[in-house]
Amino acid sequence: MPFLGQDWRSPGWSWIKTEDGWKRCESCNPELGRESSQCSLSHGVMLNSEDEEIFNNEECEYASKKRKKDHFRNDTNTQSFYREKWIYVHKESTKERHGYCTLGEAFNRLDFSSAIQDIRRFTYVVKLLQLIAKSQLTSLSGVAQKNYFNILDKIVQKVLCDHQNPRLIKNLLQDLSSTLCTLIRGVGKSVLVGNINIWICRLETVLNWQQQLQNLQMTKVNDGLTLSDLPLHTLSNILHRFSDGWDVVTLGQVTPTLYVLSEDRQLWKKLCQYHFAEKQFCRHLILSEKGHVEWKLMYFTLQKYYPTKEQYGDTLHFCRHCSILFWKDYHLAWLLKDSGHPCTAADPDSCFTPVSPQHFIDLFKF
């Protein structure tokens, strides 16, 4: 028989099989039910105003203790990380393998915890976490959600320690806090995996991280060579290496010399040509009073309408021959001819495809 009852925590109703079919049993002792209702009624009558205040305080204290207990169960010190470099991506059941791979399982098993310590993979992992925060947070299992916040905690502590890439993390936390507010207040408990108190504690933790990053002070290093000591052509080459316009603006705020170099029209023209097609920036052409193209304004205008090209030092790879998602270690690949996973192809390198963060999520959309 299916589980039937008014509350999922109740023991359910009792049923008896008869000749006419299954019938629900009535309460065996109706007097006991009347006694309990009378006791609750008398208890309500005995409460005066002071007792009601004490009762409400005890109720709030109990809710607070329960919330702390739920948060303790979800403590970030309890981790469920795997150390695997690859995972088989199967989308349907076969005779050899039952089930399919989900986004949460891939997030659990691939070694993202160590990837954030690699400067080449750091931006890639942060972008992936940001995309998950925007649209895929509720599709993760309970363990995957716990690992998600564990990795995020490691990223925040790393940024607070080494003072690198704070802008990326601020954008990630802003999107995550907006999503959590929408899920907790707007959507409700129906789509959330786990206790609502855990999600409230997670939101408070994210707001606390945002406050810590807001109060982050960059320490000035007075020893050794600084940017001001470099020649102008070297500083210009550094600016031309950036693929993100916000990085150019941020570096231009360091010194007056860098500000002048960051306003170079040719620099912003190359950024527009790198990220956008000619047809795109011809539709949003911005001219100055003298008739010159305002390439800097065009870049930030086009950024609102079209996606920019993503550039990462290292990404996950997908083997089309084996259907395996894996981290590729270039040092081992060069020294030991290691492809990063047990590949059976004759020419493994020809089967590898870099996986962008959005492509990673699309792999698990069935």
Side-chain angles (χ1 to χ4, degrees):
M1 288 297 296
F3 180 86
L4 297 174
Q6 296 180 351
D7 188 5
W8 66 273
R9 291 165 293 191
S10 67
W13 291 323
S14 299
W15 295 79
I16 294 179
K17 188 175 183 181
T18 63
E19 295 179 354
D20 299 331
W22 288 89
K23 291 186 177 181
R24 182 165 62 89
C25 294
E26 300 297 333
S27 178
C28 297
N29 193 358
E31 295 181 0
L32 184 62
R34 287 196 296 270
E35 269 184 23
S36 62
S37 62
Q38 290 176 1
C39 289
S40 61
L41 181 62
S42 62
H43 181 266
V45 172
M46 291 172 62
L47 283 175
N48 54 22
S49 60
E50 293 181 359
D51 294 334
E52 286 181 1
E53 185 177 355
I54 295 173
F55 178 75
N56 291 333
N57 291 336
E58 290 180 352
E59 197 173 35
C60 292
E61 184 179 355
Y62 171 76
S64 177
K65 288 182 179 179
K66 185 177 185 302
R67 183 171 163 186
K68 290 180 180 179
K69 184 178 180 182
D70 293 332
H71 181 60
F72 176 75
R73 289 178 178 175
N74 195 62
D75 191 5
T76 55
N77 292 330
T78 56
Q79 301 179 3
S80 303
F81 290 130
Y82 288 82
R83 294 292 179 180
E84 298 184 11
K85 298 294 183 182
W86 59 272
I87 183 174
Y88 180 77
V89 181
H90 51 287
K91 298 186 178 182
E92 58 184 6
S93 297
T94 61
K95 293 182 179 180
E96 295 80 10
R97 186 183 293 270
H98 179 69
Y100 56 89
C101 183
T102 63
L103 175 64
E105 183 181 356
F107 188 79
N108 285 339
R109 301 185 69 87
L110 290 171
D111 191 9
F112 287 103
S113 179
S114 299
I116 62 176
Q117 305 300 329
D118 191 338
I119 191 172
R120 299 172 302 167
R121 300 174 179 175
F122 182 84
T123 307
Y124 179 85
V125 177
V126 171
K127 182 62 176 180
L128 177 60
L129 294 181
Q130 188 173 10
L131 291 178
I132 292 176
K134 287 182 178 179
S135 60
Q136 302 295 322
L137 194 60
T138 55
S139 66
L140 300 180
S141 64
V143 176
Q145 290 174 2
K146 186 181 294 186
N147 287 343
Y148 178 93
F149 284 93
N150 287 337
I151 294 174
L152 187 56
D153 178 56
K154 287 189 173 185
I155 290 176
V156 172
Q157 300 307 321
K158 183 178 184 298
V159 172
L160 292 175
C161 181
D162 59 22
H163 298 177
Q164 294 182 10
N165 300 306
R167 181 174 57 84
L168 294 176
I169 312 305
K170 287 180 181 179
N171 295 337
L172 166 58
L173 294 180
Q174 181 62 39
D175 293 336
L176 181 58
S177 62
S178 301
T179 302
L180 289 178
C181 288
T182 303
L183 292 175
I184 293 174
R185 299 175 184 175
V187 179
K189 305 177 184 178
S190 57
V191 297
L192 298 177
V193 177
N195 195 309
I196 187 66
N197 292 328
I198 293 177
W199 287 95
I200 294 175
C201 289
R202 286 171 176 171
L203 178 58
E204 291 177 352
T205 302
V206 171
L207 296 177
N208 185 31
W209 287 338
Q210 286 181 307
Q211 188 63 38
Q212 292 181 26
L213 290 174
Q214 194 69 27
N215 299 332
L216 181 63
Q217 298 292 332
M218 299 296 179
T219 57
K220 186 177 180 180
V221 181
N222 297 323
D223 299 334
L225 190 68
T226 63
L227 286 174
S228 303
D229 302 325
L230 298 177
L232 292 179
H233 67 87
T234 303
L235 295 176
S236 179
N237 288 335
I238 292 174
L239 287 169
H240 279 78
R241 297 288 180 178
F242 289 161
S243 61
D244 190 347
W246 285 110
D247 292 335
V248 176
V249 173
T250 303
L251 186 58
Q253 297 173 352
V254 177
T255 63
T257 302
L258 286 171
Y259 174 77
V260 174
L261 293 175
S262 66
E263 295 294 323
D264 182 23
R265 294 180 63 255
Q266 292 299 322
L267 171 63
W268 291 101
K269 180 180 179 180
K270 289 183 178 180
L271 282 175
C272 289
Q273 292 175 341
Y274 173 75
H275 287 286
F276 310 107
E278 185 176 355
K279 292 182 180 180
Q280 293 175 343
F281 57 77
C282 284
R283 294 173 184 172
H284 303 274
L285 197 62
I286 301 175
L287 300 177
S288 64
E289 296 179 355
K290 297 181 180 180
H292 300 300
V293 179
E294 295 287 352
W295 292 105
K296 182 178 180 180
L297 292 177
M298 279 185 55
Y299 173 83
F300 290 107
T301 302
L302 292 169
Q303 203 176 33
K304 299 177 182 178
Y305 297 99
Y306 309 104
T308 57
K309 290 183 179 180
E310 298 177 355
Q311 189 176 24
Y312 305 103
D314 191 12
T315 66
L316 284 167
H317 287 73
F318 182 73
C319 181
R320 299 186 300 273
H321 178 77
C322 307
S323 295
I324 286 179
L325 193 65
F326 64 97
W327 289 109
K328 185 176 180 180
D329 194 327
Y330 290 94
H331 296 288
L332 293 178
W334 183 72
L335 293 174
L336 305 176
K337 304 299 181 182
D338 184 11
S339 62
H341 72 286
C343 187
T344 58
D347 186 10
D349 291 338
S350 62
C351 303
F352 297 165
T353 303
V355 178
S356 66
Q358 185 60 54
H359 186 201
F360 176 87
I361 293 177
D362 293 339
L363 280 175
F364 304 98
K365 287 183 178 180
F366 305 122

